[in-house]
Amino acid sequence: MYKTILVSIDLTEDNISRLVIPHVETLARLEDAHIHFLAVLPKLSSFYGMESLPVGHYSSEKDRLQHAEAGLQQMAARFNLPDDRTHCTIAIGSPRDCILLLAEEIGADLIIVASHRPDITTYLFGSTASSVARHASTAVLVVR
Ligand code: ADP
């Protein structure tokens, strides 16, 4: 049933990502699933004109990607999962589109997202979580 699971991680949100750990570990064990972690970075062009975002933070695009890759691997290491079944992918673009695209590419039978940032109580679902749940062609687990 759940042999290939996509776990979508927002690298800017440490606490929210922790919430998904027990869910992922439990589901992964059921059928020795392959777990694909995905973190999506914004296109650099979306930073233009937004002073609060780290425009000059990285020396190059390669540096930004390497930093994200290392961050995602650190996050993945917090999950108790077999190394040979754990995969990390960094994508650039809209989180919703990248999540749905990777799910298709790997033939995911489940997508796991967190519902929203814990400090944002106004919305039941964040925009990425709700949009993935609405548009995915596979099952979606929204973790609260
Ligand atoms: P909020 O707006 O409160 O941050 P989101 O819907 O954006 O809520 O985030 C909920 C979940 O969607 C995250 O925990 C994560 O699973 C997924 N998600 C959001 N942004 C990204 C991203 N940039 N890369 C990967 N996953 C993401």
Side-chain angles (χ1 to χ4, degrees), residues 76-137:
R78 293 189 192 164
F79 292 67
N80 186 10
L81 298 167
D83 284 349
D84 62 343
R85 295 186 168 266
T86 304
H87 315 268
C88 288
T89 302
I90 303 292
I92 295 174
S94 120
R96 196 262 324 244
D97 292 347
C98 293
I99 293 165
L100 296 176
L101 186 67
L102 183 66
E104 292 281 325
E105 280 174 9
I106 64 175
D109 32 42
L110 180 67
I111 299 172
I112 301 181
V113 293
S115 56
H116 59 80
R117 278 173 244 163
D119 52 336
I120 300 178
T121 49
T122 326
Y123 302 104
L124 295 177
F125 278 17
S127 61
T128 304
S130 59
S131 180
V132 168
R134 200 169 292 142
H135 295 281
S137 53

